[in-house]
Amino acid sequence: MRKPLLMLLIMIFGISGVMGCAGLRPTDDAGKPKITLERVEIASMFPWVDLPARTPLGLGFVLNVDNPSGYNIMLDNIKFTVSFEAAPGKYIEIATPTVYDRIYFPPKTTSQYRVVSIMDSGTIRLTLLVAQAPKVQELKLNAGDLIKDWYAKVGDFKFGIKVHEGMAVFSTEKGDVFVPFEGTFPKK
Amino acid sequence: MRIKMIIMCFILCFITSWAIGQEVKLGALQDTTGATSDVGKDEALGVREATQYYNDMGGINGKKIRLFQYDYGYRVPEAITTYKRFRDYDKVAMVLGWGTGDTEALSPTINADKMPYLSSSFSGHLCDPKKTPYNFVYGTDYSTNARGAITYWFEEVWKKDPKWKELRDKGAKPKFVCFMDTSSPYATAPIKAIKEQATILGFEIGPDNNIGLTALDTKSQVIAAKGFGANLVWHGNTTMSVSAAMKDAYALGLGADHIVNNWGFDENLPKLAGPAAEGAMGLLGCALFIDEYPGKKKVLDYAKKLNPGVPLENRLIRTVQGWVKVGMAVEAMKRADKAGKLNGPGIKEAFETFKDWPGLKEFGGQLVTLTPTDHRYSSIVRVARVIKGKPQTVAELDMRAKFPDRWAGWLGW
């Protein structure tokens, strides 16, 4: 009678352990995950159509996720801001991709994680005319000309694309771990 | 005996791991790239940071809040499709909405779905539970605010300021015009109310001037207002467009005073419009980011913790508004959960138990009272004025106390 009960308890304990913890442990500073921008890719591109028509542009951001700890870590959500270089060394914010897909990274590995962001020339124009208008005015640029120029050059990455204000949140059994990151492509 | 002890331990372990695994899902529609992104990006940061704070404080009675926050670029079709994902796949408990256009477009759907919807649109149309029982707002509604602002200007400026003495002495009526994007549900939401208030106060009302939310040049509209002889302009757009209109008004010598809706009045307005914004009046829903308020430390701490790459000097009142929004949602969800009804109808009922709830005071918000027959967040209108380049609160008007006979009739528009 006691043996089956003990077996049942061991099974419950095992299942609850797997469900509740999934191998996650707190990440101390030495084992804190690190994120770097590996590269930016064109995910999809369409022939330019003059504004106000919208021309889509899909960019893929390939991020290296380094887990130096001895435990699995779970990425809970990740967001970052994308800025395009408008003049040498001067960047303008274009979009803020956010992803909530949960994914595990094994211990002592560096994995690649891709975030694809679909933009379009109409949305970029609105951003340049509203939230980024002071910067555009400061640089004395015309929003429409600037966007057309970006579309002409983006295939060869002839201007810098910056990923900044990046924040990845990893869940552990001791709470959330926040990992800020940034990077620029092409690397100079 | 030993077996019993072991069983108790295992049961406790199991219950604990089950409780840790519980989540409350919260959907949030944001505009970080569209026509209202000048104010939307900062609000989105505040929503994210506040959610983390409440999670760190124990979430919804021990249940973690899982926030799904998406930029819909102020495009109504994208808001609708994102809402469907929240409802059908993410299975959120409630939604934090953004614009008036999408909130009003979604209203029939969310009410049919019994989905509590707390929006950054404070449109008066969303405050009558007979029509929109699941819509809630987290600031004094646009119509009450607009009525309050024009009343304040009439009583404190038109009747007292030496600038208008000559016209007063001649017995002239104050002349009033509206600057707003006439195709924007946000910008047009309080126009009927402010014009009615202008009529009550005895103004002469001029023709509306259509100024787009993305306008950079408003000279023709300013010239039209000057031709009418406007003494007071209501600005119904967001900060970028309002600053463009104020600069043109200043350059062309319009000479009128300005009153500005909540989403057009913040720390950025004097930065963008410079001296043209000096003296302008506007409406504040809570404390400015740079003000002193009881909750400031946590707002700053979480801004640094979650978004260290965003300079604090660029932060606005919108961050604090994000905290107000999440704080109100969390309180309703906690009450609903305590009552064992953490679902749409339960959260709605919980909101409707708010009676002089002081929770938002730490962010400079108002005492909140909501009832099953009135979803207006407050009757208090907080008027501020740009003084020496900084928006500063100059008055609070209680519109229910000031117009007791009219207050009930203003519900829902």
Side-chain angles (χ1 to χ4, degrees):
Chain A
M1 180 62 197
R2 283 184 174 187
K3 209 174 169 186
L5 186 63
L6 212 59
M7 288 294 286
L8 184 69
L9 290 173
I10 289 166
M11 277 173 67
I12 290 170
F13 182 69
I15 291 165
S16 72
V18 168
M19 283 172 67
C21 306
L24 296 175
R25 295 290 185 279
T27 53
D28 55 27
D29 278 346
K32 198 172 177 179
K34 192 180 163 193
I35 294 183
T36 50
L37 176 66
E38 172 66 24
R39 64 181 181 275
V40 182
E41 295 176 351
I42 302 292
S44 59
M45 202 172 175
F46 298 81
W48 172 260
V49 184
D50 281 337
L51 290 160
R54 295 171 183 270
T55 311
L57 173 66
L59 292 180
F61 298 87
V62 181
L63 303 167
N64 292 323
V65 181
D66 181 26
N67 176 15
S69 76
Y71 307 104
N72 284 327
I73 53 171
M74 185 188 78
L75 178 64
D76 186 80
N77 63 77
I78 186 168
K79 69 121 195 160
F80 54 87
T81 297
V82 178
S83 288
F84 286 179
E85 195 173 21
K90 303 282 184 189
Y91 285 81
I92 291 182
E93 292 172 19
I94 300 299
T96 306
T98 312
V99 179
Y100 293 95
D101 300 334
R102 285 173 164 168
I103 183 166
Y104 289 86
F105 295 93
K108 311 245 180 250
T109 57
T110 299
S111 314
Q112 290 188 328
Y113 181 67
R114 181 188 308 263
V115 176
V116 174
S117 179
I118 305 297
M119 309 163 189
D120 71 74
S121 54
T123 303
I124 296 173
R125 180 174 164 272
L126 267 181
T127 303
L128 298 192
L129 288 178
V130 184
Q132 301 303 315
K135 277 189 194 167
V136 175
Q137 286 167 21
E138 186 188 313
L139 295 169
K140 296 185 169 53
L141 296 167
N142 174 286
D145 294 344
L146 181 60
I147 298 164
K148 194 172 178 180
D149 190 53
W150 279 335
Y151 269 71
K153 292 175 176 169
V154 71
D156 297 319
F157 298 101
K158 285 187 175 172
F159 58 89
I161 297 177
K162 194 193 270 186
V163 163
H164 59 114
E165 298 175 11
M167 179 57 76
V169 181
F170 292 89
S171 282
T172 75
E173 66 178 11
K174 284 286 171 81
D176 294 337
V177 176
F178 301 91
V179 180
F181 61 95
E182 60 180 19
T184 305
F185 183 81
K187 293 179 179 79
K188 288 177 182 168
Chain B
M1 183 63 194
R2 221 166 53 188
I3 290 286
K4 272 187 184 169
M5 287 275 287
I6 293 168
I7 291 169
M8 285 300 288
C9 284
F10 278 131
I11 289 170
L12 267 173
C13 277
F14 196 75
I15 289 169
T16 308
S17 67
W18 172 78
I20 288 169
Q22 276 198 311
E23 285 180 334
V24 180
K25 292 174 179 171
L26 182 62
L29 289 164
Q30 308 280 175
D31 177 15
T32 62
T33 55
T36 57
S37 56
D38 50 343
V39 290
K41 189 181 173 190
D42 202 61
E43 201 257 16
L45 296 174
V47 166
R48 175 72 188 84
E49 290 155 7
T51 304
Q52 188 62 47
Y53 166 78
Y54 287 107
N55 270 337
D56 291 349
M57 295 296 111
I60 306 301
N61 306 326
K63 301 180 182 74
K64 187 181 172 183
I65 306 163
R66 182 154 161 77
L67 175 71
F68 297 97
Q69 195 178 28
Y70 292 107
D71 170 32
Y72 75 103
Y74 212 56
R75 296 180 292 271
V76 173
E78 200 159 318
I80 292 169
T81 191
T82 306
Y83 168 73
K84 287 175 183 168
R85 182 166 71 215
F86 287 156
R87 181 193 62 194
D88 299 338
Y89 297 101
D90 296 329
K91 310 275 186 201
V92 300
M94 67 176 290
V95 174
L96 306 179
W98 178 251
T100 303
D102 34 282
T103 302
E104 290 187 359
L106 274 167
S107 187
T109 311
I110 66 112
N111 282 295
D113 295 341
K114 298 184 177 173
M115 176 70 79
Y117 199 98
L118 180 64
S119 180
S120 294
S121 165
F122 306 156
S123 168
H125 307 146
L126 303 167
C127 297
D128 182 356
K130 278 205 286 295
K131 294 174 189 160
T132 56
Y134 281 81
N135 283 101
F136 296 90
V137 303
Y138 65 94
T140 303
D141 64 280
Y142 297 148
S143 299
T144 301
N145 261 346
R147 289 179 188 277
I150 196 169
T151 304
Y152 175 82
W153 180 85
F154 180 70
E155 291 177 348
E156 301 298 324
V157 182
W158 176 258
K159 285 184 175 176
K160 295 178 184 173
D161 196 313
K163 178 181 176 182
W164 303 114
K165 185 175 185 311
E166 199 184 325
L167 285 173
R168 275 199 311 267
D169 290 348
K170 280 186 196 166
K173 284 180 170 185
K175 292 186 174 182
F176 171 67
V177 294
C178 298
F179 282 7
M180 80 285 189
D181 187 332
T182 53
S183 65
S184 160
Y186 151 67
T188 54
I191 298 303
K192 190 179 161 195
I194 198 170
K195 285 185 178 171
E196 193 217 36
Q197 194 71 7
T199 307
I200 291 169
L201 298 170
F203 284 57
E204 185 181 344
I205 301 168
D208 292 339
N209 289 278
N210 179 24
I211 294 178
L213 286 168
T214 59
L216 296 173
D217 184 339
T218 67
K219 290 184 190 69
S220 62
Q221 293 90 334
V222 169
I223 289 166
K226 199 175 176 182
F228 172 68
N231 309 120
L232 180 67
V233 178
W234 165 258
H235 295 265
N237 288 352
T238 54
T239 312
M240 261 313 297
S241 159
V242 171
S243 71
M246 279 189 184
K247 280 193 282 187
D248 284 340
Y250 187 70
L252 295 169
L254 175 62
D257 288 342
H258 304 279
I259 49 175
V260 190
N261 201 359
N262 154 54
W263 294 102
F265 192 81
D266 57 28
E267 296 91 328
N268 261 346
L269 184 64
K271 284 186 198 167
L272 294 167
E278 192 62 25
M281 278 175 279
L283 297 150
L284 296 178
C286 61
L288 296 163
F289 189 78
I290 50 175
D291 282 347
E292 292 305 321
Y293 47 97
K296 186 170 183 174
K297 188 180 180 306
K298 64 181 79 156
V299 172
L300 284 177
D301 287 349
Y302 277 78
K304 290 179 203 161
K305 183 176 175 180
L306 263 79
N307 292 293
V310 181
L312 290 179
E313 60 268 25
N314 292 352
R315 289 303 192 91
L316 305 169
I317 187 176
R318 312 307 170 196
T319 292
V320 189
Q321 285 186 284
W323 280 78
V324 168
K325 189 182 199 177
V326 174
M328 201 167 146
V330 165
E331 178 65 20
M333 289 192 285
K334 278 184 178 174
R335 290 186 189 196
D337 182 57
K338 236 177 219 172
K341 294 163 83 176
L342 188 51
N343 51 35
I347 294 169
K348 173 189 174 289
E349 284 169 26
F351 269 126
E352 290 167 348
T353 63
F354 282 37
K355 177 143 179 56
D356 289 330
W357 177 59
L360 302 180
K361 279 285 177 187
E362 65 172 323
F363 306 114
Q366 302 295 348
L367 296 173
V368 186
T369 299
L370 300 167
T371 71
T373 55
D374 193 342
H375 284 185
R376 281 176 292 188
Y377 151 105
S378 169
S379 58
I380 306 291
V381 175
R382 187 172 170 190
V383 183
R385 195 158 195 183
V386 178
I387 300 169
K388 293 180 183 167
K390 183 184 174 292
Q392 295 174 40
T393 299
V394 290
E396 285 199 337
L397 284 75
D398 184 344
M399 294 302 280
R400 178 173 20 205
K402 220 169 168 53
F403 297 93
D405 299 339
R406 295 182 185 271
W407 177 250
W410 288 344
L411 178 63
W413 63 283

